[in-house]
Amino acid sequence: MEAIGTVYLVGAGPGDPDLLTLRAASLLERARIVVHDGLVDPQVLALAPADARLVSVAKRRAHHTLPQEDICALLVREALAGNDVVRLKGGDPLVFGRGGEEAEACRAAGVPVEIVPGISAANGAAAAAQIALTHRDAASVVSFVAGQCKGLSDQDWTGLAGKGRTLVIYMGVKTAPAIAEKLIADGLAPDMPLAVIENACRPQMRVLRGPLAALPDIVVREAVQSPALIVIGQVTAREDHALATLALEAQS
Ligand code: SAH
């Protein structure tokens, strides 16, 4: 009988291949099969050998090309057939990446799994936009939430945003009006500063700032596209940001 292969759930980071871990890069460079999401940057995929099999299971909001059960089944089937599989996910596999479900499916089938962390969009975007997620003078709590998974209205975000706290919203572009409404209804000041960071860690990155009440307008006026993060809190409006924004513009 063939030896069982291992499934490597690998974080590909937010875009720039320089932000891969050494472990991720070395697994990719010797991969035979790479199963990847739509969010993974083509420059990262280019690290796989030319003859490796690349399988895209790209998911777009409301348009799943491959349902999650089928992705899990594919990973298990390949491993049971004796193949090591690199399952490459944008950011970190365990932050809104359904990596937990894939690891469970593998363990249930007796397939060994290794999880390789990646730089999550929040960390990549914060660094690229020079926004401190925590700051001695502005925030000592940071939370990550999803703007559209399992129903926005079912999620309880009370207490996650406000003075001294930073809220990072993944997948929030499409639901921006409902997000602003929900947070203001929860008591957040309409002038609470925020930043929308589109395509963080990619050449076309944009950082847009404004007050919470203007979030729906910013998204429409600037035609913000996924992938983008919304960061809400005082940390996004420190006075030195005007300088950082100028420096970014000068670079591009
Ligand atoms: N596992 C990923 C998140 C997957 S959910 C991680 O840890 O980053 C997909 C969401 O992540 C997108 O809708 C967007 O909100 C965010 N995202 C991913 N890459 C991004 C990027 N380069 N810039 C801004 N947001 C990004």
mmCIF file of all heavy atoms in Angstrom, residues 49-50 61 64-65 67 70 82 93 102 105 122 150 168-169 183-184 194 197 205 209-210 215 218-219 246-247 252:
data_model
loop_
_atom_site.group_PDB
_atom_site.id
_atom_site.type_symbol
_atom_site.label_atom_id
_atom_site.label_comp_id
_atom_site.label_asym_id
_atom_site.label_seq_id
_atom_site.Cartn_x
_atom_site.Cartn_y
_atom_site.Cartn_z
ATOM 1 N N PRO A 49 7.249 24.557 -8.738
ATOM 2 C CA PRO A 49 7.945 24.072 -9.936
ATOM 3 C C PRO A 49 7.030 24.133 -11.159
ATOM 4 O O PRO A 49 5.806 23.977 -11.037
ATOM 5 C CB PRO A 49 8.262 22.607 -9.592
ATOM 6 C CG PRO A 49 8.149 22.508 -8.106
ATOM 7 C CD PRO A 49 7.181 23.560 -7.666
ATOM 8 N N ALA A 50 7.618 24.325 -12.322
ATOM 9 C CA ALA A 50 6.829 24.500 -13.546
ATOM 10 C C ALA A 50 5.936 23.290 -13.819
ATOM 11 O O ALA A 50 4.848 23.431 -14.391
ATOM 12 C CB ALA A 50 7.758 24.753 -14.727
ATOM 13 N N ARG A 61 -17.317 35.775 -3.556
ATOM 14 C CA ARG A 61 -18.551 35.942 -2.789
ATOM 15 C C ARG A 61 -19.755 35.523 -3.642
ATOM 16 O O ARG A 61 -19.867 35.930 -4.781
ATOM 17 C CB ARG A 61 -18.659 37.415 -2.382
ATOM 18 C CG ARG A 61 -19.653 37.673 -1.308
ATOM 19 C CD ARG A 61 -19.506 39.099 -0.853
ATOM 20 N NE ARG A 61 -20.658 39.461 -0.089
ATOM 21 C CZ ARG A 61 -21.771 39.909 -0.637
ATOM 22 N NH1 ARG A 61 -21.859 40.043 -1.933
ATOM 23 N NH2 ARG A 61 -22.792 40.210 0.132
ATOM 24 N N HIS A 64 -19.402 30.161 -5.494
ATOM 25 C CA HIS A 64 -18.424 29.164 -5.067
ATOM 26 C C HIS A 64 -18.136 28.247 -6.240
ATOM 27 O O HIS A 64 -19.018 27.585 -6.738
ATOM 28 C CB HIS A 64 -18.998 28.319 -3.928
ATOM 29 C CG HIS A 64 -19.126 29.098 -2.662
ATOM 30 N ND1 HIS A 64 -18.590 28.687 -1.483
ATOM 31 C CD2 HIS A 64 -19.712 30.284 -2.419
ATOM 32 C CE1 HIS A 64 -18.845 29.585 -0.540
ATOM 33 N NE2 HIS A 64 -19.531 30.561 -1.095
ATOM 34 N N THR A 65 -16.899 28.216 -6.705
ATOM 35 C CA THR A 65 -16.608 27.286 -7.793
ATOM 36 C C THR A 65 -16.491 25.869 -7.249
ATOM 37 O O THR A 65 -16.824 24.926 -7.911
ATOM 38 C CB THR A 65 -15.334 27.671 -8.562
ATOM 39 O OG1 THR A 65 -14.336 27.993 -7.620
ATOM 40 C CG2 THR A 65 -15.573 28.819 -9.507
ATOM 41 N N PRO A 67 -17.461 23.778 -3.642
ATOM 42 C CA PRO A 67 -17.953 23.862 -2.264
ATOM 43 C C PRO A 67 -16.903 23.351 -1.273
ATOM 44 O O PRO A 67 -16.053 22.523 -1.626
ATOM 45 C CB PRO A 67 -19.181 22.948 -2.258
ATOM 46 C CG PRO A 67 -19.506 22.692 -3.685
ATOM 47 C CD PRO A 67 -18.256 22.881 -4.473
ATOM 48 N N ASP A 70 -16.167 19.694 -0.963
ATOM 49 C CA ASP A 70 -15.421 19.124 -2.090
ATOM 50 C C ASP A 70 -13.931 19.430 -1.963
ATOM 51 O O ASP A 70 -13.089 18.620 -2.358
ATOM 52 C CB ASP A 70 -15.947 19.675 -3.425
ATOM 53 C CG ASP A 70 -17.377 19.216 -3.696
ATOM 54 O OD1 ASP A 70 -17.952 18.535 -2.819
ATOM 55 O OD2 ASP A 70 -17.917 19.539 -4.763
ATOM 56 N N GLY A 82 -1.385 8.891 -1.604
ATOM 57 C CA GLY A 82 0.071 8.911 -1.402
ATOM 58 C C GLY A 82 0.742 10.223 -1.767
ATOM 59 O O GLY A 82 1.965 10.330 -1.739
ATOM 60 N N PRO A 93 -3.853 30.643 7.347
ATOM 61 C CA PRO A 93 -4.899 29.629 7.089
ATOM 62 C C PRO A 93 -5.969 29.569 8.164
ATOM 63 O O PRO A 93 -7.074 29.085 7.910
ATOM 64 C CB PRO A 93 -4.135 28.297 7.057
ATOM 65 C CG PRO A 93 -2.692 28.599 7.191
ATOM 66 C CD PRO A 93 -2.516 30.063 7.506
ATOM 67 N N GLU A 102 -10.651 22.225 7.164
ATOM 68 C CA GLU A 102 -9.826 21.343 6.323
ATOM 69 C C GLU A 102 -8.937 20.457 7.201
ATOM 70 O O GLU A 102 -8.770 19.268 6.933
ATOM 71 C CB GLU A 102 -9.028 22.179 5.321
ATOM 72 C CG GLU A 102 -9.981 22.826 4.324
ATOM 73 C CD GLU A 102 -9.331 23.796 3.342
ATOM 74 O OE1 GLU A 102 -8.093 23.779 3.181
ATOM 75 O OE2 GLU A 102 -10.084 24.574 2.715
ATOM 76 N N ALA A 105 -11.110 17.711 8.619
ATOM 77 C CA ALA A 105 -11.432 16.669 7.625
ATOM 78 C C ALA A 105 -10.243 15.730 7.454
ATOM 79 O O ALA A 105 -10.419 14.507 7.357
ATOM 80 C CB ALA A 105 -11.802 17.316 6.290
ATOM 81 N N ALA A 122 -4.681 41.551 8.146
ATOM 82 C CA ALA A 122 -4.654 42.637 9.141
ATOM 83 C C ALA A 122 -3.217 43.050 9.449
ATOM 84 O O ALA A 122 -2.907 44.242 9.525
ATOM 85 C CB ALA A 122 -5.354 42.203 10.425
ATOM 86 N N LYS A 150 -21.734 34.113 7.920
ATOM 87 C CA LYS A 150 -22.774 33.737 8.884
ATOM 88 C C LYS A 150 -23.625 34.929 9.326
ATOM 89 O O LYS A 150 -23.845 35.136 10.517
ATOM 90 C CB LYS A 150 -22.139 33.069 10.102
ATOM 91 C CG LYS A 150 -21.547 31.719 9.790
ATOM 92 C CD LYS A 150 -21.465 30.865 11.025
ATOM 93 C CE LYS A 150 -21.153 29.431 10.648
ATOM 94 N NZ LYS A 150 -20.855 28.603 11.774
ATOM 95 N N VAL A 168 -10.787 45.370 13.293
ATOM 96 C CA VAL A 168 -10.388 45.092 11.907
ATOM 97 C C VAL A 168 -11.470 44.222 11.286
ATOM 98 O O VAL A 168 -11.779 43.146 11.810
ATOM 99 C CB VAL A 168 -9.038 44.347 11.845
ATOM 100 C CG1 VAL A 168 -8.631 44.123 10.387
ATOM 101 C CG2 VAL A 168 -7.957 45.120 12.595
ATOM 102 N N ILE A 169 -12.039 44.704 10.188
ATOM 103 C CA ILE A 169 -13.137 43.978 9.543
ATOM 104 C C ILE A 169 -12.659 43.393 8.224
ATOM 105 O O ILE A 169 -12.255 44.120 7.314
ATOM 106 C CB ILE A 169 -14.340 44.905 9.318
ATOM 107 C CG1 ILE A 169 -14.755 45.543 10.645
ATOM 108 C CG2 ILE A 169 -15.498 44.133 8.676
ATOM 109 C CD1 ILE A 169 -15.779 46.646 10.505
ATOM 110 N N LEU A 183 -22.560 49.576 13.707
ATOM 111 C CA LEU A 183 -21.640 50.107 14.716
ATOM 112 C C LEU A 183 -22.198 51.385 15.349
ATOM 113 O O LEU A 183 -22.077 51.595 16.558
ATOM 114 C CB LEU A 183 -20.261 50.359 14.094
ATOM 115 C CG LEU A 183 -19.480 49.075 13.779
ATOM 116 C CD1 LEU A 183 -18.260 49.381 12.919
ATOM 117 C CD2 LEU A 183 -19.048 48.369 15.072
ATOM 118 N N ILE A 184 -22.831 52.221 14.524
ATOM 119 C CA ILE A 184 -23.397 53.467 15.068
ATOM 120 C C ILE A 184 -24.581 53.127 15.987
ATOM 121 O O ILE A 184 -24.727 53.691 17.071
ATOM 122 C CB ILE A 184 -23.751 54.453 13.932
ATOM 123 C CG1 ILE A 184 -22.438 54.938 13.268
ATOM 124 C CG2 ILE A 184 -24.554 55.648 14.463
ATOM 125 C CD1 ILE A 184 -22.606 55.727 11.978
ATOM 126 N N LEU A 194 -11.576 55.893 10.611
ATOM 127 C CA LEU A 194 -11.308 54.561 10.058
ATOM 128 C C LEU A 194 -10.413 54.673 8.831
ATOM 129 O O LEU A 194 -10.231 55.755 8.248
ATOM 130 C CB LEU A 194 -12.605 53.833 9.705
ATOM 131 C CG LEU A 194 -13.553 54.413 8.658
ATOM 132 C CD1 LEU A 194 -13.043 54.207 7.241
ATOM 133 C CD2 LEU A 194 -14.907 53.755 8.785
ATOM 134 N N ILE A 197 -8.250 49.710 3.600
ATOM 135 C CA ILE A 197 -6.978 49.373 2.949
ATOM 136 C C ILE A 197 -7.262 48.307 1.898
ATOM 137 O O ILE A 197 -7.629 47.178 2.224
ATOM 138 C CB ILE A 197 -5.946 48.880 3.973
ATOM 139 C CG1 ILE A 197 -5.818 49.925 5.090
ATOM 140 C CG2 ILE A 197 -4.587 48.636 3.298
ATOM 141 C CD1 ILE A 197 -5.369 49.367 6.396
ATOM 142 N N MET A 205 -1.874 48.958 -3.934
ATOM 143 C CA MET A 205 -2.512 49.246 -2.634
ATOM 144 C C MET A 205 -3.054 50.679 -2.551
ATOM 145 O O MET A 205 -2.433 51.612 -3.040
ATOM 146 C CB MET A 205 -1.496 49.063 -1.505
ATOM 147 C CG MET A 205 -2.041 49.477 -0.157
ATOM 148 S SD MET A 205 -0.991 49.002 1.217
ATOM 149 C CE MET A 205 -0.069 50.507 1.456
ATOM 150 N N ARG A 209 -9.044 57.126 4.077
ATOM 151 C CA ARG A 209 -9.401 57.430 5.473
ATOM 152 C C ARG A 209 -10.640 58.299 5.553
ATOM 153 O O ARG A 209 -10.934 59.057 4.623
ATOM 154 C CB ARG A 209 -8.249 58.180 6.153
ATOM 155 C CG ARG A 209 -7.012 57.332 6.332
ATOM 156 C CD ARG A 209 -5.862 58.181 6.866
ATOM 157 N NE ARG A 209 -4.592 57.572 6.523
ATOM 158 C CZ ARG A 209 -3.972 56.652 7.244
ATOM 159 N NH1 ARG A 209 -4.492 56.235 8.374
ATOM 160 N NH2 ARG A 209 -2.832 56.138 6.834
ATOM 161 N N GLY A 210 -11.335 58.214 6.656
ATOM 162 C CA GLY A 210 -12.503 59.073 6.856
ATOM 163 C C GLY A 210 -13.196 58.684 8.136
ATOM 164 O O GLY A 210 -12.770 57.750 8.820
ATOM 165 N N LEU A 215 -18.241 55.824 5.757
ATOM 166 C CA LEU A 215 -17.768 54.554 5.180
ATOM 167 C C LEU A 215 -18.515 54.142 3.895
ATOM 168 O O LEU A 215 -17.876 53.840 2.882
ATOM 169 C CB LEU A 215 -17.816 53.440 6.250
ATOM 170 C CG LEU A 215 -17.481 52.035 5.759
ATOM 171 C CD1 LEU A 215 -16.041 51.963 5.258
ATOM 172 C CD2 LEU A 215 -17.691 51.001 6.873
ATOM 173 N N ILE A 218 -17.353 56.351 1.050
ATOM 174 C CA ILE A 218 -15.959 56.112 0.643
ATOM 175 C C ILE A 218 -15.926 54.897 -0.298
ATOM 176 O O ILE A 218 -15.296 54.928 -1.351
ATOM 177 C CB ILE A 218 -15.044 55.862 1.875
ATOM 178 C CG1 ILE A 218 -14.946 57.122 2.731
ATOM 179 C CG2 ILE A 218 -13.659 55.375 1.450
ATOM 180 C CD1 ILE A 218 -14.199 56.947 4.042
ATOM 181 N N VAL A 219 -16.634 53.848 0.087
ATOM 182 C CA VAL A 219 -16.608 52.608 -0.701
ATOM 183 C C VAL A 219 -17.178 52.843 -2.106
ATOM 184 O O VAL A 219 -16.617 52.388 -3.096
ATOM 185 C CB VAL A 219 -17.366 51.480 0.042
ATOM 186 C CG1 VAL A 219 -17.629 50.296 -0.860
ATOM 187 C CG2 VAL A 219 -16.567 51.051 1.269
ATOM 188 N N LEU A 246 1.826 60.813 2.389
ATOM 189 C CA LEU A 246 2.627 61.517 1.374
ATOM 190 C C LEU A 246 3.768 60.626 0.882
ATOM 191 O O LEU A 246 4.037 60.535 -0.313
ATOM 192 C CB LEU A 246 3.222 62.802 1.968
ATOM 193 C CG LEU A 246 2.252 63.962 2.100
ATOM 194 C CD1 LEU A 246 2.951 65.154 2.736
ATOM 195 C CD2 LEU A 246 1.709 64.352 0.719
ATOM 196 N N ALA A 247 4.410 59.919 1.841
ATOM 197 C CA ALA A 247 5.540 59.064 1.463
ATOM 198 C C ALA A 247 5.066 57.956 0.532
ATOM 199 O O ALA A 247 5.721 57.631 -0.453
ATOM 200 C CB ALA A 247 6.185 58.485 2.717
ATOM 201 N N SER A 252 4.696 55.660 -5.265
ATOM 202 C CA SER A 252 3.939 55.008 -6.343
ATOM 203 C C SER A 252 3.982 55.804 -7.636
ATOM 204 O O SER A 252 4.463 56.902 -7.699
ATOM 205 C CB SER A 252 2.508 54.745 -5.903
ATOM 206 O OG SER A 252 1.914 55.956 -5.532
#
